[in-house]
Amino acid sequence: MTPTTTSPCVAAAIATHRREAELQRLLTALGNSDLPLTGGIFVADNASSPETRGVCEAGSGVAWLPRTVNNGPGPAWNTAAAKALENPDVTHILVLDDDVVVPPDALRGLLDALVASGSAASAPLLFDENGRLWAFPEPLEVALRAAIRRTHTPEQCRQALGDAPHRFCWATGACMLYARQVFDTLGFFREDFWMLGEDLEFSMRVASILGGVFTAAVAVPHLPPPAKTAAIRTSHRLKFLALLQNLSYLAFHSSHRGHLRSYLAGNFKRYVRTEGGAPGTLWDGWCAFYEGALCRQPAGTVAGARLRERAARRLDEK
């Protein structure tokens, strides 16, 4: 791939919440990028804390953007991206979760893929602490969907797909590069998903209207803190329910959903494998489907909040 742009100005938009160690790790990684973030780094701090402020103020070119509430990454990304776009020189926004570690050559690889394809968004592969694929964009080309699912590591995927950019239908938003055109034309992330869904909706919208690609030449570690405490395990359950509700909503009510509906059953099966088959657990899963698919309610609505409150009380009673 040969890039056709000579002077990109890239800014980073990061959503964070009480993850000082992970944020510091990410900021250090961005400081080592071989394509400098000349547009700055903007950290939207959900339910802001002095500790996160300290991490940001210790960094170079990092703007701390405090937020009074934690209502998910979507509103935080919007806050950070909007602030970055106040600079008319910014050409691209690198949207990030706080628990990824961006390799030095990743930004340049994402930019090259975006420019070479003429698309408005580009995504990497994501892998976990064991070096195995954690998430990958859904290829638009049907044959590639089977090919990518036969791989288990980024290197296997790269061998199977090569380095060329491939069109995607949707992508997990932990690390995504968007052209400024995306925000100027299509607006920002929806803010009624709470979490685990607004990134998919946004990428679907962009891919359908302006085009999005991924490249197996770029792989980014996704390293959330381990779920060792009861509080973190509860958080994991509530996030999983939000994902199910949001996927159910998107699969039946998004005009850009593609073939997402065919993957719903697999995600509910994974929920049962992960969270167990107790009656209350199964009931929560059904409620997530009901609210999303039948009631047209994403997880950031009042209905989603009630579902999570019931699930949290059930877990507290154990």
Side-chain angles (χ1 to χ4, degrees):
M1 293 178 291
T2 302
T4 58
T5 186
T6 56
S7 56
C9 178
V10 184
I14 302 171
T16 192
H17 173 64
R18 308 296 169 89
R19 285 183 172 178
E20 292 79 25
E22 287 76 17
L23 177 61
Q24 180 63 71
R25 182 182 64 190
L26 172 57
L27 294 178
T28 299
L30 293 176
N32 294 327
S33 174
D34 61 12
L35 183 64
L37 288 157
T38 54
I41 300 172
F42 298 85
V43 179
D45 184 11
N46 278 334
S48 59
S49 69
E51 293 80 8
T52 301
R53 179 179 183 175
V55 170
C56 294
E57 291 181 344
S60 176
V62 181
W64 177 67
L65 305 175
R67 304 188 71 251
T68 57
V69 297
N70 177 20
N71 54 346
W77 283 329
N78 287 343
T79 296
K83 191 67 176 177
L85 292 170
E86 290 180 3
N87 179 355
D89 294 332
V90 167
T91 59
H92 299 80
I93 301 288
L94 181 64
V95 175
L96 297 164
D97 276 346
D98 55 13
D99 55 8
V100 296
V101 186
V102 181
D105 59 349
L107 177 54
R108 188 176 298 278
L110 291 175
L111 183 65
D112 287 354
L114 186 152
V115 173
S117 64
S119 298
S122 61
L125 305 176
L126 298 172
F127 64 93
D128 64 18
E129 70 276 8
N130 298 313
R132 296 179 67 84
L133 284 175
W134 179 81
F136 47 80
E138 178 71 0
L140 181 62
E141 187 177 338
V142 175
L144 292 182
R145 297 173 195 165
I148 201 169
R149 282 172 171 78
R150 287 194 293 267
T151 67
H152 303 289
T153 67
E155 184 55 36
Q156 290 175 359
C157 187
R158 188 173 186 179
Q159 291 174 1
L161 274 63
D163 290 355
H166 301 282
R167 298 277 177 176
F168 67 68
C169 301
W170 61 76
T172 300
C175 178
M176 291 283 296
L177 181 66
Y178 292 104
R180 184 188 188 103
Q181 175 194 11
V182 167
F183 301 95
D184 291 344
T185 305
L186 303 181
F188 291 78
F189 291 88
R190 284 182 58 163
E191 298 192 358
D192 57 350
F193 277 65
W194 187 53
M195 61 177 58
L196 300 178
E198 70 288 287
D199 56 340
L200 294 179
E201 190 280 332
F202 192 65
S203 69
M204 286 176 180
R205 198 176 352 139
V206 174
S208 176
I209 298 172
L210 297 176
V213 295
F214 72 98
T215 172
V218 181
V220 172
H222 178 258
L223 306 174
K228 291 182 178 180
T229 68
I232 294 178
R233 288 193 294 271
T234 297
S235 175
H236 184 275
R237 168 77 64 86
L238 302 186
K239 289 179 181 178
F240 212 141
L241 289 171
L243 174 65
L244 295 179
Q245 185 172 347
N246 289 330
L247 289 180
S248 298
Y249 170 81
L250 289 172
F252 286 90
H253 305 296
S254 171
S255 59
H256 310 301
R257 64 179 177 266
H259 54 284
L260 180 63
R261 197 176 298 178
S262 64
Y263 291 130
L264 269 185
N267 279 281
F268 278 90
K269 183 178 180 180
R270 183 164 61 89
Y271 166 73
V272 175
R273 284 202 310 263
T274 304
E275 302 295 333
T281 303
L282 298 178
W283 176 252
D284 290 339
W286 159 252
C287 289
F289 175 79
Y290 176 82
E291 296 292 353
L294 302 182
C295 297
R296 299 171 176 253
Q297 298 295 306
T301 61
V302 173
R306 284 199 301 260
L307 191 163
R308 293 191 297 277
E309 288 170 5
R310 292 196 301 268
R313 285 198 303 269
R314 184 177 292 110
L315 289 169
D316 288 340
E317 292 168 358
K318 287 185 178 181

